[in-house]
Amino acid sequence: MIEQTRRFVSNLWAGILDIVYPPHCLVCKKFGDLYLCRNCVEQIPIIKPPYCRVCGINVGPTEHICGECRKREYKFECARCASVYDGVLRQAIHALKYEFHIVMADPLAEIMIRAFPNTYLARRVDLVVPVPIHITKLVDRGFNQSEELAWRLCAAVGLPLANDILVKRRKTKPQVDLPEDLRFANVEGTFSVAQPERIVGKRVLVIDDVFTTGATLSEAAKTLRAAGASSVCAYALARSVY
Ligand SMILES: [Zn+2]
Ligand SMILES: [Zn+2]
């Protein structure tokens, strides 16, 4: 109910904004009906195979695992990303996350929905779980961007969403402010699982907006596996090479 109320308020706010501030593309600023215009969307390429077996970024035909993933060991079974964190997509995610433009969630989720069939993830999922943010950040931002992407994806592809199972119990420094070697330690022990009985034996798909070192997704997978999930894969909107 709280979730429905939050979505209602968010949609109402977007409607009011439409009246006082006519829609325009938040990336190229061109006026029109869309917050991310078609021209900008066309500049966001979907990652094509061959994929890195671990993170899903495009690799050469004989490479199998990308250079970044060769350096690390993750707790998730596999990850896939819709596109690359660069150019238009980077600006669009920035508008959502740091300028709080919730209206960006629709076109960004659309990219994840469009890329989803190529990822082969649908065959290995019982339940979709967004990466949670700490309650203080939720109050600041007004929404959790991963959850906004996750529920739209679930509605489009017909997968069940569980947005109250994985909980962020400890506030952490923003990963983006930390060097690579400190990112795994920063998120260690940060999540817990509420109602573990709902994930026991289930194949879980964790959703995040950006995959950089994979530290957050790996920690989420570790927590979910420890609570009984039979497998954990991850799907992110954008792969950022650190
Ligand atoms: Zn544009
Ligand atoms: Zn990789």
Side-chain angles (χ1 to χ4, degrees):
M1 193 61 198
I2 293 169
E3 182 56 28
Q4 282 163 336
T5 310
R6 203 152 63 78
R7 279 179 206 162
F8 173 75
V9 171
S10 138
N11 289 338
L12 182 69
W13 179 239
I16 293 167
L17 279 180
D18 277 359
I19 296 164
V20 295
Y21 194 49
H24 64 283
C25 176
L26 293 170
V27 173
C28 72
K29 314 297 180 204
K30 198 176 94 186
F31 281 95
D33 297 337
L34 301 167
Y35 293 101
L36 188 61
C37 74
R38 282 198 187 86
N39 188 37
C40 283
V41 169
E42 278 169 17
Q43 292 175 57
I44 301 174
I46 299 296
I47 298 176
K48 295 271 188 306
Y51 302 121
C52 164
R53 269 188 216 159
V54 182
C55 75
I57 205 164
N58 178 271
V59 289
T62 55
E63 215 178 337
H64 306 302
I65 295 178
C66 78
E68 290 291 308
C69 290
R70 257 185 250 131
K71 293 192 274 185
R72 307 187 186 95
E73 211 173 291
Y74 297 119
K75 302 295 181 188
F76 47 76
E77 206 168 83
C78 74
R80 290 292 177 267
C81 303
S83 187
V84 176
Y85 189 62
D86 198 11
V88 169
L89 184 55
R90 188 190 190 111
Q91 287 175 264
I93 292 174
H94 201 278
L96 174 70
K97 253 173 114 168
Y98 304 114
E99 294 162 16
F100 318 117
H101 290 296
I102 181 78
V103 289
M104 262 321 199
D106 274 336
L108 290 178
E110 201 50 52
I111 294 161
M112 292 186 84
I113 294 163
R114 194 150 45 92
F116 194 65
N118 293 342
T119 64
Y120 313 111
L121 289 169
R123 289 186 222 145
R124 354 166 145 207
V125 183
D126 299 315
L127 202 60
V128 175
V129 171
V131 168
I133 56 176
H134 193 261
I135 185 71
T136 55
K137 200 177 256 184
L138 188 62
V139 170
D140 277 357
R141 191 176 287 157
F143 59 88
N144 170 3
Q145 71 282 354
S146 300
E147 189 184 320
E148 294 297 325
L149 297 171
W151 76 253
R152 285 168 171 84
L153 173 73
C154 286
V157 302
L159 286 171
L161 174 76
N163 58 0
D164 51 356
I165 283 182
L166 193 62
V167 179
K168 178 130 180 173
R169 61 179 178 188
R170 180 170 64 77
K171 214 176 160 191
T172 48
K173 288 182 189 155
Q175 291 286 78
V176 73
D177 296 342
L178 294 171
E180 183 183 350
D181 55 337
L182 295 181
R183 289 186 176 203
F184 282 81
N186 185 44
V187 292
E188 205 173 345
T190 190
F191 299 118
S192 61
V193 171
Q195 303 170 283
E197 65 281 4
R198 286 172 60 196
I199 59 159
V200 172
K202 297 269 169 66
R203 299 166 304 172
V204 177
L205 179 65
V206 183
I207 303 292
D208 205 357
D209 55 341
V210 182
F211 176 134
T212 305
T213 58
T216 303
L217 286 168
S218 187
E219 184 64 24
K222 187 171 101 182
T223 310
L224 289 161
R225 288 298 305 273
S230 65
S231 74
V232 180
C233 288
Y235 185 37
L237 169 60
R239 175 75 166 109
S240 170
V241 177
Y242 193 76

